[in-house]
Amino acid sequence: MDYFKIPSPCYVLEKELLEHNLEILDSVQKASGAKILLALKGFAFWRSFELARKYLSGTTASGINEAMLGFEEFGGREIDKDICVFSPAYKEEEIDALLPIATHIIFNSFYQWQKFKAKIADKNLQLEKLGLKKIEVGLRVNPLYSEVQPEIYNPCIKGSRLGITPSEFKNGVEMYGLDGIDGIHFHTHCEQNADALKRTLEHFIQHFGDFVTQMQWVNFGGGHHITRKDYNLGLLNSIIIDFKSQFNDIEVFLEPGEAVGWECGFLIGEVIDIVYNGMFIAILDVSASAHMPDCLEMPYRPRVRKISQHTKEIQCDLGENAGKYSYRFGGPTCLAGDVIGDYSFDTPLQIGDRVIFEDMIHYTIVKNTTFNGIPLPSLGMIDKEDFKVLKTFNYLDYKNRNG
Ligand SMILES: *Cc1c(COP(=O)(O)O)cnc(C)c1O
């Protein structure tokens, strides 16, 4: 692989690695009987969906744009794929646009369900006449238990707006009943192993078990790190199988995003300059702020390889200050804090060298901004050592975004 043939900067999806993830996810579907939906929030690289839909049961969306993308590029009812939508609050026009494409609509309150109940019932009459599957309706609940850190990613923090609490749920059932509700949804995980799901389900069943008996399905949300090497697939499968047998073979959904795009590609950039201010600082054409925002938000330090322009030698980062030559990697924006991290190597980094940031396919492209007019990285794919550019961006992407 000649990394210098790749335009810089560029996100590069490695197709075989994606397919490996999809095979793992499909093995869970087959062993447990659960359906797995791709959460577009974390992975919307739609030029790979032809592959993804061979394995996964559908997509999950947070509103109309993601649902449209799922419908157009992954497929919906007509090819027996699910398009599941959740939103903290839908506007009338959003529901109108969702009705023709969604297979599952999940509400965050009884009020929103009541508001759109008649519209969905009308649509379902039409679908029934055509012999098509009806739109299923769900409610998102808050089981008051989540192990997610930091708090910004924890949907069960005090005052959280996400999911109906057990007491509000009981009030809602007293006022409106559950007639017309097909399923219950919770999403309380982030990058977690199956043991967290096991503990969460105890709380979920304690609060909502009585209602689950009246449901067709339960959606366990995303945040299950199923494709990570140390993930306990056996435990996940047995949890799902036990849950299904406890609740009369109820349908179970999982909707991971990160686990689909996990470790299946990289972001490649170039060293534009190296300056000195008490330490060497490499200025790259990739930005923490515009291209890897979770570096600052989560925060985390991406793994790095450098590739020498002259020798083509590839070297992994040895850790902060562990190697002979140390550099702080910074982005091309004017944000003082646009710093990716400190890296060190056995040989010096040089202007013109390439730098690879590992595992940059999920929660990066979907979060990119044109802040500061910094060019958006191209999108490319490696398929069996063959690199192809799929998409490049230009000045108009920046201009159109601002007026
Ligand atoms: C974010 C999100 C997901 C996907 O989560 P991952 O951590 O990417 O697996 C699934 N469902 C809902 C409701 C979400 O908000």
Side-chain angles (χ1 to χ4, degrees):
M1 186 73 224
D2 182 359
Y3 291 99
F4 288 87
K5 290 224 172 87
I6 300 175
S8 180
C10 185
Y11 292 102
V12 181
L13 176 78
E14 295 174 84
K15 195 176 165 193
E16 280 169 50
L17 298 180
L18 174 66
E19 187 149 26
H20 179 65
N21 287 349
L22 294 167
E23 281 164 359
I24 294 171
L25 294 165
D26 194 27
S27 79
V28 170
Q29 294 190 117
K30 294 200 164 103
S32 70
K35 275 184 159 186
I36 299 187
L37 310 176
L38 158 63
L40 294 166
K41 184 181 69 190
F43 180 85
F45 201 113
W46 55 266
R47 288 169 206 267
S48 70
F49 286 0
E50 213 178 290
L51 181 67
R53 73 162 160 256
K54 288 189 190 152
Y55 297 93
L56 303 181
S57 300
T59 51
T60 204
S62 326
I64 184 60
N65 286 340
E66 287 185 354
M68 279 301 292
L69 183 66
F71 178 72
E72 286 184 1
E73 298 299 334
F74 199 103
R77 212 182 248 104
E78 77 287 355
I79 59 162
D80 206 24
K81 296 295 184 189
D82 291 328
I83 295 181
C84 178
V85 195
F86 163 78
S87 170
Y90 299 92
K91 297 197 214 176
E92 186 103 27
E93 64 263 31
E94 289 171 332
I95 288 289
D96 291 341
L98 286 170
L99 285 177
I101 57 176
T103 60
H104 296 69
I105 299 181
I106 296 169
F107 292 104
N108 194 47
S109 74
F110 277 83
Y111 173 80
Q112 279 248 308
W113 168 42
Q114 291 300 310
K115 181 165 174 177
F116 299 117
K117 194 176 177 179
K119 274 197 166 171
I120 295 174
D122 281 352
K123 179 70 192 175
N124 279 343
L125 274 180
Q126 283 176 25
L127 288 167
E128 200 173 64
K129 275 186 204 145
L130 296 167
L132 296 171
K133 273 200 232 162
K134 66 171 189 140
I135 298 169
E136 310 238 335
V137 179
L139 292 171
R140 175 168 175 173
V141 299
N142 173 353
L144 304 180
Y145 182 83
S146 171
E147 300 177 11
V148 173
Q149 303 265 12
E151 282 207 339
I152 190 176
Y153 294 115
N154 186 327
C156 299
I157 45 164
K158 198 159 168 269
S160 171
R161 73 192 185 291
L162 300 170
I164 306 166
T165 60
S167 59
E168 284 297 301
F169 198 89
K170 284 198 185 82
N171 291 341
V173 173
E174 272 169 32
M175 275 172 78
Y176 307 110
L178 284 174
D179 198 25
I181 294 294
D182 306 289
I184 297 183
H185 172 257
F186 67 85
H187 169 72
T188 57
H189 296 82
C190 181
E191 299 191 334
Q192 275 156 321
N193 213 316
D195 57 323
L197 174 62
K198 192 175 162 79
R199 290 186 288 274
T200 301
L201 276 177
E202 287 169 20
H203 293 260
F204 172 73
I205 291 172
Q206 178 200 331
H207 294 301
F208 300 101
D210 288 347
F211 307 110
V212 172
T213 53
Q214 306 168 51
M215 298 295 141
Q216 308 299 313
W217 49 265
V218 172
N219 186 325
F220 292 178
H224 313 285
H225 233 179
I226 300 170
T227 51
R228 200 175 66 202
K229 284 188 184 70
D230 68 343
Y231 191 88
N232 192 339
L233 292 168
L235 180 60
L236 175 66
N237 288 331
S238 72
I239 289 169
I240 296 168
I241 290 165
D242 288 351
F243 187 86
K244 284 169 78 78
S245 75
Q246 186 178 348
F247 293 101
N248 196 25
D249 203 28
I250 192 165
E251 178 124 71
V252 170
F253 289 94
L254 302 172
E255 44 179 28
E258 181 157 335
V260 178
W262 179 246
E263 291 190 342
C264 69
F266 54 86
L267 171 61
I268 188 165
E270 187 183 328
V271 181
I272 309 300
D273 196 8
I274 297 176
V275 297
Y276 188 82
N277 179 7
M279 64 176 86
F280 286 104
I281 304 144
I283 302 175
L284 312 177
D285 58 358
V286 298
S287 158
S289 168
H291 307 146
M292 299 181 279
D294 283 346
C295 263
L296 305 176
E297 192 178 297
M298 191 80 178
Y300 74 101
R301 177 182 180 278
R303 280 170 295 125
V304 156
R305 281 180 285 164
K306 79 173 174 80
I307 307 156
S308 161
Q309 175 183 213
H310 301 296
T311 64
K312 310 283 184 223
E313 191 208 358
I314 301 179
Q315 253 195 44
C316 294
D317 155 54
L318 298 168
E320 222 168 288
N321 294 318
K324 241 164 97 184
Y325 300 92
S326 294
Y327 306 87
R328 174 157 295 173
F329 283 5
T333 70
C334 293
L335 175 74
D338 190 358
V339 168
I340 302 159
D342 292 354
Y343 294 91
S344 76
F345 308 93
D346 273 345
T347 56
L349 185 74
Q350 288 176 328
I351 293 167
D353 285 355
R354 289 298 184 91
V355 177
I356 282 181
F357 295 92
E358 307 287 4
D359 191 23
M360 279 298 158
I361 299 299
H362 56 84
Y363 287 105
T364 49
I365 304 162
V366 288
K367 285 191 162 192
N368 277 189
T369 68
T370 57
F371 168 58
N372 224 184
I374 302 306
L376 290 165
S378 307
L379 304 179
M381 199 187 297
I382 293 176
D383 186 4
K384 301 190 186 78
E385 294 287 299
D386 227 19
F387 172 78
K388 230 198 256 124
V389 179
L390 301 175
K391 169 87 180 168
T392 55
F393 300 92
N394 58 36
Y395 162 65
L396 285 179
D397 294 295
Y398 166 67
K399 184 176 182 188
N400 289 334
R401 184 64 191 71
N402 286 280

